Amino acid sequence: MITLLDYGAGNVRSVRNAIRKLGYSVQDVQNPADILNAERLIFPGVGSYGSVMNRLRRDGFVEPLIERIHSDKPVLGICVALQALFEGSEESPGVAGLSILKGQVRRFTESSLSVPQIGWNGVNLHKPSPLFSGYNGEKLYFVHSYRATLEEVDKEWLLTTTNYGEEFVSGVQKGNITAFQFHPEKSGAAGLNILGNYLQATNDESVTVITGRESGTHRETRMAKRVIACLDVRSNDNGDLVVTKGDQYDVRDRGEVRNLGKPVELARRYYEEGADEITFLNITGFRDFPMEDQPMLEVLQRTSENVFVPLTIGGGIREFTDSNGREYTSLDVASEYFRSGADKISIGSDACYTAEEYMKTGKKTGKSSIEQISFVYGAQAVVISVDPRRVYVNKPEDTDHNTIKTAFPGPDGEEYCWYQCTVKGGREGRDLDAVQLAASCEALGAGEILLNCIDKDGTNSGFDFELINHVKSAVTIPVIASSGAGSAAHFVDVFKETNAEAALAAGIFHRKEVPISEVKTALRESGVEIR
Ligand code: 1PR
């Protein structure tokens, strides 16, 4: 029996599902005494530093947790839980941590890096550990902006380090305490193996004598470029929830909504085929009341039972009032999705309205969906889905928007274009360009940009490098290139021609034109770092 410290700050469903998948039972901490009495305790780290510590304090969990850590009972901390062992974090100034380790956790400082670090990276083992038995250097999933530096951690605690432009502490272990900066529950088979080793080692004393993977052979770890499978989901005319796919956002074929499969089954297939991440977009979310949109919640719940890579959900993340007059904030809506198994939420239309307001007033209100969700769940949990379309002009002075000189002139030979943001699934253009949207949303606390392109969507003609470079140069958060993938070579091209951290495709995977393994092979052969 494993006891889980669920303090309601994010997706712990994945940890629960991973433990169950490994054959153990899980129970939740109900009161402070459970923390002391649990045989084995897992402290999952989800949410921002401040929200984690404040919730632990609110529930009276801090004292028993410290007491347990000082006893000889096992505790496994994940992600922010590793950071919580320190005295505090730059993420939430003034909020005291558990102070088991001295010092502060700080934001990545290297200016050439995209922060947050979102994605797959390796670890170097600094001491023999049974937890890494069977680990062969596979990449594991990280998602964080803050980290403990090597100077901050006593040698006897140091378990693993990872390089993200600088070497940081990705694992600590001393006596009964183990904590990982990566998410084993989101790191595919390699992560499940580490988690399984941990559960076995803490179950059976004899296992701890096994010496794990050779430590001390230091190799540079490298962040991988991610390959993401995207599932656009909506109800068809019979009311069935289907994965569909549009051509330039038109998902109907001879009047019928295209049906390319079932969301849960397809997501599982992509996980098994090696997708680094799965994104679900509820493409009619702007119409429906999301809290009543139980099918999408169920899709997430069922998917997370068998899919152990990050899940993003988009569509309908906004505040609304239901037919009974009950008001929901976008934070309520997002929370429901996180509880159901989402690791990140993606905001489309609402991000445009927020950015427009922000550009008008120059003020952060703290009330927008981006700010609220980022404050509670951390920037890394907030993705902005951009749906831009090219607007051609003869010269930059013809518009107030950010233009580029394009190598693909417009219908009348126009040599410049800007990228107009749209809302409601591309139906309505706004007086806002993609650079304005991305930069405003970053300033408001978003952690990643999902950069679609209506002109390219479903065309199989390759990604729009001009758009990607244009937006990428305006932000320091990671950018996911999306729309237009038609072959494995297109993925190679997008990573050679742009600095995008990830590339996403839909149609070619759904129609089984290009398997994910072929994309990965092409990338590996071209020298692109992959998982
Ligand atoms: O506005 O917050 O409710 O979010 C709605 C979400 O639904 C947005 O993320 C928006 O991008 C998405 N969406 C709305 N309508 C459509 C549509 O297709 N009619 N799909 C839509 C967007 C685009 C991509 C697609 C890539 C790759 N889908 O995500 O998967 O273009 O496709 P390809 O590889 O086949 O070229 P809100």
Side-chain angles (χ1 to χ4, degrees):
M1 176 64 75
I2 312 299
T3 304
L4 197 62
L5 184 54
D6 179 1
Y7 41 89
N11 173 20
V12 297
R13 183 177 283 271
S14 304
V15 183
R16 190 172 286 134
N17 286 336
I19 298 168
R20 289 203 181 114
K21 185 87 178 168
L22 291 162
Y24 296 82
S25 307
V26 194
Q27 66 184 14
D28 286 342
V29 166
Q30 303 289 349
N31 54 57
D34 291 344
I35 294 181
L36 288 168
N37 298 334
E39 210 179 299
R40 283 171 289 170
L41 183 76
I42 296 190
F43 173 13
V46 278
S48 63
Y49 194 92
S51 82
V52 169
M53 289 311 306
N54 290 337
R55 279 167 194 250
L56 290 178
R57 269 203 182 91
R58 178 198 66 189
D59 295 337
F61 290 165
V62 169
E63 296 313 320
L65 199 50
I66 293 174
E67 193 179 332
R68 181 182 176 98
I69 289 172
H70 286 307
S71 74
D72 60 354
K73 291 183 163 178
V75 178
L76 172 64
I78 298 172
C79 195
V80 193
L82 181 151
Q83 302 178 7
L85 295 175
F86 289 82
E87 292 170 314
S89 167
E90 261 181 14
E91 184 175 14
S92 309
V95 177
L98 298 172
S99 302
I100 305 297
L101 292 166
K102 287 210 166 18
Q104 296 281 318
V105 177
R106 294 178 208 285
R107 195 175 156 89
F108 283 111
T109 49
E110 171 59 55
S111 59
S112 62
L113 295 175
S114 291
V115 178
Q117 171 179 226
I118 298 183
W120 300 76
N121 206 334
V123 298
N124 269 305
L125 205 52
H126 285 254
K127 58 181 170 187
S129 166
L131 309 186
F132 286 82
S133 156
Y135 174 75
N136 290 311
E138 294 93 340
K139 293 189 194 297
L140 304 163
Y141 186 72
F142 288 83
V143 49
H144 59 127
S145 303
Y146 299 83
R147 85 296 185 231
T149 59
L150 268 73
E151 298 76 58
E152 216 78 65
V153 174
D154 228 315
K155 261 210 147 163
E156 51 182 351
W157 276 89
L158 198 60
L159 178 61
T160 64
T161 57
T162 293
N163 195 294
Y164 185 56
E166 57 166 84
E167 201 80 3
F168 69 92
V169 177
S170 53
V172 293
Q173 189 272 323
K174 190 178 167 196
N176 53 323
I177 309 303
T178 307
F180 300 133
Q181 181 61 65
F182 57 87
H183 285 265
E185 79 283 9
K186 285 284 157 192
S187 298
L192 290 182
N193 175 50
I194 293 170
L195 192 56
N197 285 342
Y198 174 82
L199 297 176
Q200 199 186 349
T202 48
N203 195 26
D204 175 359
E205 297 267 306
S206 64
V207 178
T208 55
V209 301
I210 298 171
T211 302
R213 181 172 161 258
E214 273 298 295
S215 63
T217 42
H218 193 87
R219 43 182 158 173
E220 179 104 335
T221 67
R222 282 206 183 111
M223 185 74 170
K225 297 289 186 181
R226 286 170 281 154
V227 174
I228 302 176
C230 181
L231 289 77
D232 289 355
V233 181
R234 61 162 290 167
S235 296
N236 66 11
D237 298 328
N238 303 325
D240 304 320
L241 202 67
V242 298
V243 174
T244 188
K245 184 68 214 67
D247 293 330
Q248 299 177 307
Y249 285 35
D250 179 2
V251 298
R252 287 183 186 268
D253 193 6
R254 272 166 272 154
E256 300 267 318
V257 172
R258 283 195 196 96
N259 179 352
L260 295 169
K262 295 185 178 163
V264 180
E265 281 78 351
L266 266 189
R268 184 167 183 173
R269 189 183 109 203
Y270 295 145
Y271 166 63
E272 287 166 357
E273 289 177 358
D276 298 316
E277 216 170 297
I278 311 280
T279 295
F280 292 106
L281 295 176
N282 172 8
I283 67 168
T284 49
F286 65 90
R287 285 191 204 140
D288 301 326
F289 281 164
M291 298 298 265
E292 291 169 7
D293 195 4
Q294 295 306 327
M296 280 312 275
L297 297 175
E298 198 194 323
V299 163
L300 276 172
Q301 288 159 9
R302 287 181 45 218
T303 300
S304 63
E305 284 170 19
N306 292 299
V307 173
F308 297 100
V309 293
L311 301 175
T312 302
I313 175 87
I317 311 286
R318 60 190 160 87
E319 66 176 28
F320 71 96
T321 306
D322 74 10
S323 44
N324 300 324
R326 179 168 170 195
E327 291 176 6
Y328 293 91
T329 64
S330 45
L331 182 62
D332 295 332
V333 178
S335 300
E336 203 58 49
Y337 283 124
F338 288 126
R339 273 194 288 276
S340 298
D343 300 287
K344 302 188 259 184
I345 52 85
S346 140
I347 309 175
S349 306
D350 194 63
C352 289
Y353 308 135
T354 302
E356 287 168 0
E357 195 56 31
Y358 177 62
M359 286 177 53
K360 210 183 325 165
T361 63
K363 287 204 180 95
K364 297 182 186 176
T365 61
K367 294 198 174 112
S368 68
S369 47
I370 300 170
E371 290 162 282
Q372 285 186 43
I373 300 168
S374 173
F375 181 73
V376 176
Y377 294 98
Q380 73 287 342
V382 182
V383 184
I384 303 303
S385 174
V386 190
D387 297 314
R389 178 183 277 130
R390 276 183 177 224
V391 178
Y392 287 99
V393 286
N394 286 315
K395 44 188 195 314
E397 299 76 49
D398 290 351
T399 171
D400 291 338
H401 290 286
N402 293 288
T403 55
I404 54 161
K405 188 165 196 315
T406 175
F408 307 96
D412 296 320
E414 301 96 328
E415 291 190 337
Y416 291 85
C417 73
W418 63 282
Y419 288 90
Q420 183 185 30
C421 293
T422 64
V423 293
K424 301 179 181 167
R427 283 170 185 77
E428 186 186 314
R430 307 291 300 183
D431 186 18
L432 179 74
D433 66 58
V435 161
Q436 292 172 322
L437 174 64
S440 302
C441 291
E442 175 174 27
L444 290 166
E448 197 172 33
I449 302 290
L450 163 50
L451 188 54
N452 302 301
C453 176
I454 298 181
D455 311 290
K456 286 285 190 175
D457 176 61
T459 62
N460 287 10
S461 62
F463 296 91
D464 186 336
F465 306 146
E466 293 182 333
L467 167 65
I468 299 160
N469 285 325
H470 187 42
V471 171
K472 182 74 191 150
S473 64
V475 294
T476 62
I477 54 180
V479 170
I480 302 168
S482 166
S483 304
S487 68
H490 287 153
F491 286 83
V492 176
D493 295 344
V494 77
F495 290 131
K496 297 273 180 207
E497 300 293 329
T498 78
N499 287 324
E501 277 76 10
L504 170 153
I508 53 167
F509 296 149
H510 303 335
R511 295 186 299 267
K512 295 194 175 165
E513 288 163 7
V514 181
I516 292 170
S517 58
E518 191 181 319
V519 173
K520 291 286 185 90
T521 304
L523 290 171
R524 189 182 303 109
E525 286 173 354
S526 307
V528 177
E529 192 74 22
I530 51 152
R531 173 168 76 108

